[in-house]
Amino acid sequence: MRLVLTGLGILAFAVLAASCSRKAVVESGPALDAADATARGTVRRLGSEGAVRTVLQGETTVVVLGDYEQEIGRIAGAEVWASGTAATSEYGEALVVSEYRITSVDGDVPIVGILEEDENGFYLREEDGDTVRLDVSERLAGALGAKVWVVLGADRVTVSRYGILRD
């Protein structure tokens, strides 16, 4: 009987100590702002039909969630920086993206914006309102109004590579 009481006493002490130490860590630690989470890495599409997900594969792999998931998924292989709210998914650590930038497409930094046209030809309207005049192919001209990324040639006007992020 004495052994049972001793065991129960030790168990009660262990539970009490564990609960106190956890509370002390939470109260003494800095508050984390989940809205300030960022991730950087190579865009990958993983899974199979019905369970495909977009991830940023860097120091850690982060699942991309939110309104920008489809756009980011369209640039598989590119390097991206993303900011948003930390989350979790059934696949692990995740980020609900509120902002992202393409930092590299095969070593080149692309320009991102909406493809528009006026009487002088085609141009890209960047998010900050700046415009960049473009010499586009007939195929890219068909994407008028779409959000695109472009890599320019040496003349800084001719589009050498591009991708459509959002129709």
Side-chain angles (χ1 to χ4, degrees):
M1 182 67 159
R2 183 176 223 194
L3 187 59
V4 172
L5 290 176
T6 303
L8 288 174
I10 291 172
L11 180 62
F13 178 75
V15 169
L16 181 62
S19 66
C20 288
S21 66
R22 184 179 328 120
K23 185 174 181 184
V25 169
V26 171
E27 289 180 355
S28 66
L32 297 177
D33 186 359
D36 291 337
T38 62
R40 179 182 302 272
T42 303
V43 177
R44 303 277 188 232
R45 299 280 290 160
L46 304 176
S48 57
E49 191 173 334
V52 177
R53 62 200 171 277
T54 301
V55 301
L56 293 180
Q57 192 174 42
E59 289 182 23
T60 61
T61 299
V62 177
V63 178
V64 175
L65 301 175
D67 294 340
Y68 290 114
E69 188 273 334
Q70 283 190 319
E71 284 184 28
I72 295 171
R74 288 184 167 191
I75 50 177
E79 297 290 321
V80 168
W81 170 90
S83 175
T85 304
T88 57
S89 76
E90 63 184 297
Y91 303 107
E93 189 177 338
L95 182 68
V96 180
V97 176
S98 58
E99 173 186 9
Y100 76 95
R101 285 193 292 274
I102 306 169
T103 57
S104 174
V105 175
D106 296 328
D108 294 314
V109 178
I111 302 169
V112 177
I114 306 298
L115 183 62
E116 298 182 0
E117 182 181 27
D118 63 14
E119 62 278 352
N120 296 318
F122 291 92
Y123 62 96
L124 199 65
R125 179 171 308 280
E126 297 178 86
E127 190 173 275
D128 63 5
D130 287 348
T131 60
V132 178
R133 287 283 166 194
L134 302 174
D135 182 13
V136 302
S137 66
E138 198 172 306
R139 188 170 178 193
L140 179 55
L144 193 61
K147 183 177 181 180
V148 301
W149 63 264
V150 298
V151 172
L152 300 178
D155 64 3
R156 302 296 300 155
V157 174
T158 304
V159 174
S160 64
R161 289 181 292 152
Y162 72 92
I164 298 172
L165 297 168
R166 184 179 63 227
D167 296 322

